[in-house]
Amino acid sequence: MKIQSVIVLGGGSAGFTAAITLKRLLPQLTVTILRSPEIGIIGVGEGTTPFFPHHFHQFLKLPLKEFYERAQPTWKLGIRFLWGQRESFDYSFDQQFAKRSPGLPRNNGFYHEEPPAAWCLGAGLMARNKAFTRNQRGIPEITLDTTAYHIENIKLVAYLEWQATELGVVVRNETVGQVDHQQDQITTLHLLSSEKMTADFFVDASGFAAKLLGETFQEKFHDYSDTLFCDSAIIGPRHREEHEEIQPYTTAETMDHGWCWRIDHENHINRGYVYSSKFVSDEDAEAEFRRKNPAVQQTRIVRFRSGRYQRSWIGNVVAVGNAAGFVEPLEATALMILCGQCRSLAEALIDSDCDPGPMLKTMFNRFMGERWDEIRDFLAIHYRFNKRLNTPFWQHCRENTPLHGAEEIYQFYLENGPSMLANAIFISPNDQFGAEGYLAMFLGMQVPHQKKHQPNEQELAVLKQLDQTIATRASSGATVAEALQVIRDPRWRWA
Ligand SMILES: Cc1cc2nc3c(=O)[nH]c(=O)nc-3n(C[C@H](O)[C@H](O)[C@H](O)COP(=O)(O)OP(=O)(O)OC[C@H]3O[C@@H](n4cnc5c(N)ncnc54)[C@H](O)[C@@H]3O)c2cc1C
């Protein structure tokens, strides 16, 4: 039977993104969102990667004007890591190390120890607190290919609700109690308002509750706590001082028992300390957080577990967002994988003519499982090789973090240095971080390898020229505040 009606259980960023993606690509479907005002939304999830603008602006082609007006994002060019033994290093979304600059015989990674400090425009802009280069008329070049966003979760969800409603999605404030199913088919949702609802297909976007996939189907959960030891976060905002510019990047700072993010919004800054409750009490974590961030106002604690369900598609249910899995927020990957889930689901329904068979579901589950595991593996190298602090937490991470799928990538790097040859063999073409991600982290943390390269005079001259080119273009770039002003000018038109 062809799917004609869909119920999305959950109205957080996952539920709305799924509903928008389905309705945009399969407008014939009836899509209804059920969300519980009593339970509410998680209210965190502010950092994105370039997958996010790509999904909404390029793949779904949703209007940019309304997005910017309602979601009010700022731009994120990458992550500044206060990590490893150097003061800091920048992991830009632009390509830095897994490419070869003209005139150099080897790829950039081999010259990492030499100037320039920034190996691409993205990193050059980050280093100077600029968001975009300018064109010859001095206007910021607001391109989104290697740029992501910082967005407050509440504003994002409000925008998504507006966009979903515009597309014809029905949104209802209802809490689901009992769920009936026959084998792997959900049949009826019992609402606390006593109504019963059914549909041909269900999207479980109920957050950590995983009401359909976890609670109803009892699907096996793959716990990542053997690799990722953090399970809690203390979150708090602070005002931006007058002299402080809006930073066009997320900061990830090593803390005694985990790490702390800094995310800049237009009018305030949010900080969040992600820690392991096995190594520190909530009170002591809060004390360290406040000692290092005295201006932070009211705080709250969010608990989480890192891991994923074995299958995210069972029968007539697909789980997305936190209901399918969650990997702790270092690298801000949840919204990224969410976009991939929604796109893969919509494409699966289109290609199967809304009549998906078992092999399609098997393929979907394998593909999504690999994407989750690959995030765990990428984060594993962050913990295994961070030598900044010698607290019991970090000693434990260095001694006890298995690399899983990243082990071969690490062994290859150890033997061959920052070679790009690893790309095709050890790093899947579907990998969300690619060789660039691995090299940015290995080189940033100064993980030793056996192929150190000594540049000759000619290579040094090329590097100097590259440094000057990046410095010239990046120094004259526009700050976040300047770029926001430009897009709010009534004469501004989005391409
Ligand atoms: C500390 C922390 C930091 C994070 N930082 C980032 C980040 O920087 N970047 C990033 O991409 N992600 C981040 N995330 C992940 C972020 O939470 C998710 O990306 C995102 O918000 C998805 O949430 P969701 O929609 O799955 O869940 P939720 O926002 O929890 O939404 C669940 C929805 O289901 C509804 N619901 C639940 N049960 C029922 C029921 N029985 N009946 C009816 N409705 C129900 C709720 O009311 C709600 O509407 C972070 C997560 C944590 C814990």
Side-chain angles (χ1 to χ4, degrees), residues 457-475:
E457 286 301 314
Q458 203 182 345
E459 289 166 72
L460 288 173
V462 174
L463 295 175
K464 198 170 166 199
Q465 180 62 44
L466 183 64
D467 196 18
Q468 279 168 2
T469 309
I470 291 174
T472 307
R473 291 210 62 200
S475 312

Side-chain angles (χ1 to χ4, degrees), residues 10-14 36 39-40 42 44-47 174 176 205-206 322 326 334-335:
S13 30
S36 165
I39 296 170
I42 192 165
V44 283
E46 306 186 324
E174 300 280 2
V176 174
S206 59
N322 294 349
F326 177 70
L335 293 167

Side-chain angles (χ1 to χ4, degrees), residues 18 27 39-40 50 71 89 115 128 211 228 316 343 351 353 358 404-405 409 436 469:
I39 296 170
F89 65 90
R128 294 163 179 85
K211 181 87 181 159
L228 303 171
N316 63 348
R343 179 179 178 149
D351 278 10
D353 203 12
H404 298 283
I409 301 172
E436 180 63 36
T469 309

Side-chain angles (χ1 to χ4, degrees), residues 134-441:
R134 293 178 194 270
N135 66 17
Q136 285 174 342
R137 289 182 295 143
I139 297 171
E141 297 178 300
I142 303 182
T143 52
L144 298 170
D145 293 344
T146 53
T147 309
Y149 296 125
H150 290 145
I151 317 177
E152 288 174 66
N153 187 251
I154 305 276
K155 285 183 181 163
L156 172 63
V157 174
Y159 156 74
L160 293 172
E161 179 171 357
W162 170 83
Q163 184 61 79
T165 313
E166 284 286 299
L167 290 170
V169 173
V170 176
V171 182
R172 294 187 54 182
N173 289 330
E174 300 280 2
T175 302
V176 174
Q178 189 191 316
V179 177
D180 296 342
H181 68 105
Q182 284 175 354
Q183 288 148 358
D184 66 358
Q185 299 291 307
I186 297 284
T187 51
T188 314
L189 304 183
H190 296 258
L191 310 184
L192 295 193
S193 60
S194 308
E195 200 181 324
K196 293 178 192 170
M197 286 189 75
T198 192
D200 304 327
F201 193 77
F202 296 83
V203 176
D204 187 352
S206 59
F208 289 140
K211 181 87 181 159
L212 306 181
L213 197 72
E215 196 182 305
T216 307
F217 285 146
Q218 295 285 311
E219 178 63 354
K220 183 171 186 275
F221 189 77
H222 283 285
D223 199 313
Y224 290 164
S225 61
D226 70 316
T227 311
L228 303 171
F229 306 117
C230 293
D231 56 11
S232 308
I234 296 181
I235 300 161
R238 74 162 175 83
H239 291 301
R240 171 174 294 99
E241 304 293 333
E242 266 189 24
H243 65 272
E244 283 183 297
E245 297 216 68
I246 305 171
Q247 294 184 348
Y249 51 82
T250 298
T251 300
E253 176 185 356
T254 307
M255 300 281 276
D256 289 353
H257 317 283
W259 64 278
C260 185
W261 76 72
R262 168 181 168 151
I263 289 186
D264 278 45
H265 299 293
E266 188 175 358
N267 297 312
H268 73 280
I269 293 165
N270 277 342
R271 301 228 58 175
Y273 182 4
V274 176
Y275 58 95
S276 167
S277 63
K278 291 200 180 66
F279 286 83
V280 65
S281 66
D282 293 341
E283 294 71 29
D284 288 350
E286 169 118 18
E288 184 194 358
F289 184 48
R290 287 194 176 278
R291 195 170 65 247
K292 293 177 177 169
N293 300 280
V296 159
Q297 299 147 4
Q298 202 176 6
T299 57
R300 68 178 173 118
I301 293 183
V302 180
R303 307 272 180 218
F304 55 84
R305 64 172 176 170
S306 287
R308 64 160 171 102
Y309 285 98
Q310 177 148 316
R311 295 170 297 172
S312 47
W313 190 335
I314 300 177
N316 63 348
V317 176
V318 164
V320 297
N322 294 349
F326 177 70
V327 183
E328 68 125 287
L330 186 59
E331 294 286 350
T333 50
L335 293 167
M336 171 176 84
I337 198 165
L338 167 66
C339 293
Q341 291 166 329
C342 296
R343 179 179 178 149
S344 300
L345 171 59
E347 284 178 338
L349 293 184
I350 291 168
D351 278 10
S352 64
D353 203 12
C354 286
D355 187 11
M359 279 313 287
L360 188 63
K361 296 174 192 178
T362 301
M363 188 215 68
F364 182 94
N365 286 331
R366 192 182 300 172
F367 181 78
M368 291 319 313
E370 285 171 3
R371 302 289 76 72
W372 284 113
D373 293 351
E374 146 193 308
I375 298 174
R376 174 202 57 192
D377 301 349
F378 186 56
L379 293 200
I381 69 165
H382 296 56
Y383 282 100
R384 169 88 160 261
F385 298 111
N386 183 4
K387 290 188 179 164
R388 199 177 192 88
L389 294 178
N390 267 326
T391 57
F393 172 79
W394 283 105
Q395 283 171 12
H396 183 80
C397 291
R398 288 195 290 271
E399 286 161 18
N400 298 295
T401 304
L403 296 184
H404 298 283
E407 182 65 42
E408 277 192 325
I409 301 172
Y410 167 59
Q411 292 299 334
F412 181 88
Y413 168 85
L414 193 62
E415 181 189 287
N416 300 283
S419 158
M420 286 189 293
L421 296 176
N423 246 352
I425 305 302
F426 298 118
I427 303 177
S428 153
N430 295 316
D431 190 290
Q432 297 151 102
F433 308 100
E436 180 63 36
Y438 277 95
L439 290 187
M441 291 311 300

